[in-house]
Amino acid sequence: MTTPLLEIEDLCARAGDKEIIKDFNLTINEGEVHAIMGPNGAGKSTLSYVLCGKPGYEITSGSIKFKGRDLISMSIEERAREGLFLIMQYPVEIPGVPTTAFLKHAVNAIRKHNHESELDTMAFIKMVRETGKNLGIDAEMLKRPVNVGFSGGEKKRMETLQMAVLKPDMAILDEADSGLDIDALKVVAGGVNSLRDGKRSMLVITHYQRLLNYIIPDFVHVFANGHIVKSGDKNLALELEEKGYAEFIRDKA
Amino acid sequence: MGGLIQDIKLRGHDLPKLEALREKGRNSFLSQGLPTPKTEAWKYTRVRTLTGNDFVIEETKVSKCSCKQHQTCCCTDQSFSLPFDAYEIRFCNGKLQNDHFHLPEGVEALPLTEAFDDPDIFHLLNKSFDMDKFPFAALNTAYLEQGIFLRIGRDIVLDKPIAFLYHTSGGLKRFACLRNLIVLETGAQAEMIEYYHYSGAPKSEYFNNIVHEIYIGRNAKLRHYAVQNEAFKAVHIALTAVKVKENGHFESFCLQKGADLARRETHVVLQEPDAKTNVNAVYMMNGWATLDTTTDVEHLAPHTLSGQLIKGVVGGQAKGVFQGKIHIAPKAQQIEGNQLHRALLLSDDAEVDIKPELEIFADDVKCSHGAACGELDAEQLFYLQSRGIGAEEARQMLIEAFIDEAFQTIENPSVREWIKSI
């Protein structure tokens, strides 16, 4: 039995006084794509932030192991360098930081961590352009400051490009489809699918089933009241689309 | 305070012509005294370092630098050169070093002591400020001797910047008073750099008191860059007093990074219609330093324009001070005056004190001012780190991004890159 890529056991986490994640369990093996679906406000985004180490969330009990190592004790950047990547729901704008410089720093930080030689500017730009071309993403966006003035669709394209360039072992998509038109959605899904190689894993967090038409999950979990209340295959997503989440919320209430 | 004002008559050249003015400076300084927290213009900047600290002006009849025995000195170490071509005017430990200025035709430079033989030049002294309001400029007047007179003739456009390189070497508690008089005649255009740096022990204690008087003629333009990178126990107090005539333009940028106590004060008087000024600055420090950026722009004539952008980054237990005043006289209509100050606090003990002031006595004016301080944006920091960028590197990227807007006001790209690299 190989070590699972991600193993979350009895996780409890809170933001301030509010307990958001309660007794959460999930195991993701290499190459698997898991979807977590749930009603708004259930704490889906909190789960993604807790996994990436965002400040402001306190883990009160439980454990998270990534590649068999304790994830909770790692810094934000260590998690990223170890191969965790989050496509954010609302990527922040960073005026004054050119995207090219930012992404080059990121690429080289991760390469250094993996004992690979750092890329010079020429090699980096060539690599990014090629990656962008394969995904149908215009690298012109790189000339602008990070996310500044980008439309919702452009921001998600940029997130996808970053993911493809940084080649994580596990990508978390936090509501990657929110505010996207169908074209942008296809680009994002295309980017994710191009990274599916039987080894990389994905955790797709979404409210709607729509995204899962493009990124076909191996497993679907229903997240409510702080933990997974039901698991199944891709058909569970269709069922949820039809019946809604009321059943799960009512059950608990 | 005693140490600062002893034996004025014994210093340097015997200059009877200057005695009356020096005496006035001395009396003005003594009657004002060192500023205290009750002195309104100095309420945020304490000059405790100066009380009871005996800084001395070097006892020498020789005006040349006496530090040649040191390993590193501006006279021997070319690393204090600029990375671009400039007309260099060097001061070392408060003494002018140039025998020749090698300036192009139409540009005249003279040591102050020689320039004063010309009554027209002598007449310009202390005319750009009222020394009874500037205690350190009064002190500077009491010790008047070192410095140059520089005149850029009518319609002369300089091909490269004039750089004033002020070097201090470690050792003694040196006290230097420098005064430069700069005149741009009608239509002249020039760039000027002031660069303050040191060699030797970084803990050297010294006190530089500098006054620049700048007269900008009709249609003339001066781009002025000042870089204060003194040793971290040094005291640096500078006044740049500027008068701008019709359609003249004074554009300035100041970077402050060094010293334990520093105040750079820029006072611009827009005397005639269509005169313009931009006063931009960046201050960055850690440790225990106090860095003060004070500006005062007076709009005396209609159709005059001013803009200010000041950005600060303060860490450790350091303190930044920004005081910015825009004064608009009653007859000065159709004015535009803008001022924006932003500071970034990097630690809980860092402090920034801000005092923006608008004095508007005319009714047809457009004025804006904004002053704020904040911390690094946690969301931005998280975003960068979540891509694998280390926390410290991410902080640096955000700090540079914050400051960069102010650096971008430097129009000369070689100067901009040099200043960013300091």
Side-chain angles (χ1 to χ4, degrees):
Chain A
M1 179 85 191
T2 52
T3 313
L5 188 66
L6 182 74
E7 203 173 10
I8 307 173
E9 282 184 346
D10 302 324
L11 186 72
C12 295
R14 62 185 186 194
D17 289 336
K18 201 174 165 207
E19 190 152 59
I20 298 171
I21 293 176
K22 293 172 215 162
D23 301 321
F24 185 94
N25 288 281
L26 178 67
T27 299
I28 298 179
N29 293 304
E30 259 185 18
E32 294 176 353
V33 174
H34 290 241
I36 288 191
M37 302 182 69
N40 285 330
K44 301 192 298 293
S45 289
T46 297
L47 177 66
S48 67
Y49 290 147
V50 165
L51 289 174
C52 291
K54 188 175 187 180
Y57 300 93
E58 191 193 346
I59 292 169
T60 48
S61 64
S63 71
I64 309 174
K65 287 208 168 92
F66 186 61
K67 300 178 180 173
R69 289 182 55 206
D70 176 28
L71 189 74
I72 296 169
S73 63
M74 291 185 206
S75 67
I76 304 165
E77 58 267 32
E78 272 180 278
R79 298 174 197 216
R81 292 170 189 173
E82 280 292 325
L84 200 58
F85 184 92
L86 172 63
I87 289 196
M88 297 200 197
Q89 187 176 3
Y90 303 112
V92 66
E93 299 193 2
I94 313 183
V97 175
T99 307
T100 312
F102 148 70
L103 196 51
K104 183 170 167 252
H105 273 286
V107 165
N108 282 333
I110 291 171
R111 289 181 70 93
K112 210 172 155 187
H113 181 78
N114 294 330
H115 306 290
E116 293 169 335
S117 64
E118 294 185 28
L119 295 182
D120 62 25
T121 305
M122 290 294 285
F124 166 76
I125 290 191
K126 191 165 172 256
M127 185 267 283
V128 176
R129 279 188 191 285
E130 271 168 25
T131 311
K133 205 174 157 193
N134 293 337
L135 298 173
I137 297 171
D138 189 353
E140 284 300 296
M141 277 194 290
L142 291 167
K143 290 181 180 164
R144 291 150 66 183
V146 178
N147 294 322
V148 175
F150 286 19
S151 69
E154 282 177 316
K155 282 181 181 166
K156 294 296 165 70
R157 282 185 162 94
M158 181 50 74
E159 295 286 289
T160 306
L161 180 62
Q162 287 180 35
M163 175 182 67
V165 163
L166 298 176
K167 299 186 181 64
D169 295 315
M170 173 155 179
I172 304 166
L173 284 72
D174 183 13
E175 305 279 3
D177 52 340
S178 67
L180 289 195
D181 59 32
I182 199 75
D183 291 333
L185 187 67
K186 281 180 179 168
V187 169
V188 173
V192 172
N193 288 329
S194 74
L195 289 178
R196 281 178 84 164
D197 60 356
K199 292 203 81 175
R200 279 201 184 88
S201 307
M202 313 280 167
L203 180 60
V204 182
I205 295 172
T206 182
H207 181 76
Y208 299 106
Q209 189 269 339
R210 185 174 71 148
L211 182 64
L212 304 180
N213 289 331
Y214 300 93
I215 304 171
I216 314 286
D218 301 307
F219 302 94
V220 173
H221 310 280
V222 182
F223 182 80
N225 309 307
H227 54 264
I228 290 170
V229 292
K230 189 172 184 180
S231 296
D233 61 12
K234 62 182 179 183
N235 293 316
L236 179 57
L238 297 168
E239 200 181 305
L240 283 168
E241 182 76 356
E242 204 173 303
K243 295 185 184 166
Y245 295 105
E247 174 193 346
F248 301 103
I249 301 169
R250 196 176 50 242
D251 274 4
K252 203 72 188 174
Chain B
M1 167 160 131
L4 290 176
I5 199 80
Q6 292 163 355
D7 298 336
I8 288 166
K9 283 180 186 168
L10 296 176
R11 306 297 172 201
H13 288 81
D14 186 20
L15 292 167
K17 198 183 310 171
L18 281 180
E19 279 317 309
L21 187 59
R22 283 177 170 176
E23 191 62 23
K24 274 190 196 165
R26 183 175 193 267
N27 291 336
S28 174
F29 177 70
L30 288 174
S31 69
Q32 294 177 80
L34 283 174
T36 69
K38 287 181 181 163
T39 314
E40 181 59 29
W42 289 81
K43 66 193 274 192
Y44 298 119
T45 301
R46 311 286 160 82
V47 296
R48 275 189 301 263
T49 332
L50 290 175
T51 44
N53 206 338
D54 283 324
F55 292 100
V56 291
I57 289 194
E58 264 185 295
E59 286 275 1
T60 172
K61 292 264 177 187
V62 185
S63 67
K64 277 291 161 60
C65 163
S66 62
C67 68
K68 282 188 179 162
Q69 66 271 28
H70 293 288
Q71 285 290 311
T72 50
C73 170
C74 68
C75 322
T76 51
D77 186 349
Q78 289 304 308
S79 68
F80 293 117
S81 290
L82 298 167
F84 47 84
D85 211 10
Y87 300 107
E88 292 185 353
I89 297 170
R90 286 174 176 263
F91 292 87
C92 189
N93 296 329
K95 314 283 184 198
L96 177 67
Q97 301 301 303
N98 293 56
D99 292 317
H100 306 286
F101 294 99
H102 306 292
L103 290 161
E105 204 175 325
V107 183
E108 180 189 9
L110 284 171
L112 268 194
T113 44
E114 290 171 35
F116 290 153
D117 291 335
D118 181 340
D120 289 341
I121 298 174
F122 189 78
H123 178 73
L124 291 173
L125 263 182
N126 280 33
K127 290 298 185 298
S128 62
F129 62 91
D130 173 1
M131 70 175 158
D132 289 336
K133 291 179 181 161
F134 297 95
F136 290 98
L139 182 65
N140 183 285
T141 305
Y143 286 109
L144 200 60
E145 177 193 323
Q146 285 291 328
I148 71 158
F149 166 75
L150 177 73
R151 175 160 42 204
I152 298 155
R154 195 185 168 104
D155 294 326
I156 296 284
V157 178
L158 277 183
D159 56 336
K160 52 189 181 184
I162 297 184
F164 290 78
L165 304 175
Y166 301 94
H167 174 262
T168 305
S169 61
L172 293 168
K173 286 190 169 185
R174 290 194 173 88
F175 174 36
C177 280
L178 293 164
R179 172 80 57 106
N180 292 317
L181 273 183
I182 293 149
V183 175
L184 271 76
E185 293 187 338
T186 302
Q189 286 184 37
E191 285 185 300
M192 185 188 136
I193 291 161
E194 289 174 43
Y195 180 32
Y196 301 89
H197 56 88
Y198 71 98
S199 65
K203 283 188 177 175
S204 302
E205 294 178 63
Y206 58 87
F207 175 18
N208 278 336
N209 177 334
I210 310 103
V211 174
H212 281 87
E213 295 192 72
I214 301 176
Y215 298 91
I216 296 181
R218 280 181 52 225
N219 302 325
K221 177 170 183 176
L222 179 67
R223 281 190 192 151
H224 177 263
Y225 309 106
V227 175
Q228 185 273 97
N229 197 18
E230 305 274 28
F232 77 91
K233 297 280 269 181
V235 180
H236 175 104
I237 292 174
L239 170 67
T240 305
V242 190
K243 291 197 164 190
V244 189
K245 292 217 158 139
E246 188 180 346
N247 199 38
H249 191 178
F250 176 68
E251 183 185 290
S252 76
F253 178 90
C254 170
L255 170 68
Q256 295 213 70
K257 262 193 125 164
D260 174 52
L261 166 66
R263 168 152 159 149
R264 290 198 56 89
E265 186 156 358
T266 306
H267 188 162
V268 186
V269 183
L270 303 172
Q271 290 180 291
E272 294 181 358
D274 298 306
K276 292 194 283 267
T277 187
N278 298 85
V279 183
N280 304 317
V282 164
Y283 56 90
M284 306 170 85
M285 74 284 205
N286 275 308
W288 288 268
T290 297
L291 298 190
D292 176 329
T293 302
T294 293
T295 67
D296 184 348
V297 176
E298 284 187 64
H299 291 261
L300 296 187
H303 303 284
T304 47
L305 218 75
S306 72
Q308 301 178 49
L309 176 66
I310 288 96
K311 292 222 171 177
V313 178
V314 186
Q317 301 181 50
K319 176 164 141 174
V321 177
F322 171 68
Q323 306 184 104
K325 190 171 177 181
I326 303 175
H327 170 94
I328 297 176
K331 285 178 185 166
Q333 301 292 4
Q334 295 185 309
I335 299 296
E336 196 168 334
N338 301 303
Q339 181 190 87
L340 184 68
H341 168 270
R342 291 269 181 276
L344 203 51
L345 297 171
L346 299 181
S347 68
D348 291 343
D349 293 326
E351 180 183 330
V352 172
D353 297 303
I354 309 164
K355 190 173 76 177
E357 282 179 278
L358 291 179
E359 288 180 349
I360 304 177
F361 298 101
D363 47 23
D364 186 7
V365 300
K366 270 204 274 185
C367 266
S368 69
H369 70 109
C373 9
E375 293 165 13
L376 284 175
D377 187 301
E379 292 287 332
Q380 294 178 343
L381 212 49
F382 170 65
Y383 189 85
L384 296 177
Q385 286 177 270
S386 77
R387 274 33 176 164
I389 297 172
E392 195 41 47
E393 201 182 348
R395 284 163 68 89
Q396 278 309 320
M397 284 173 87
L398 293 179
I399 291 168
E400 280 169 27
F402 170 81
I403 291 291
D404 201 55
E405 185 189 4
F407 283 134
Q408 290 307 322
T409 65
I410 301 173
E411 282 191 40
N412 181 328
S414 329
V415 175
R416 191 194 313 132
E417 289 316 305
W418 170 64
I419 289 181
K420 283 170 79 167
S421 73
I422 288 169

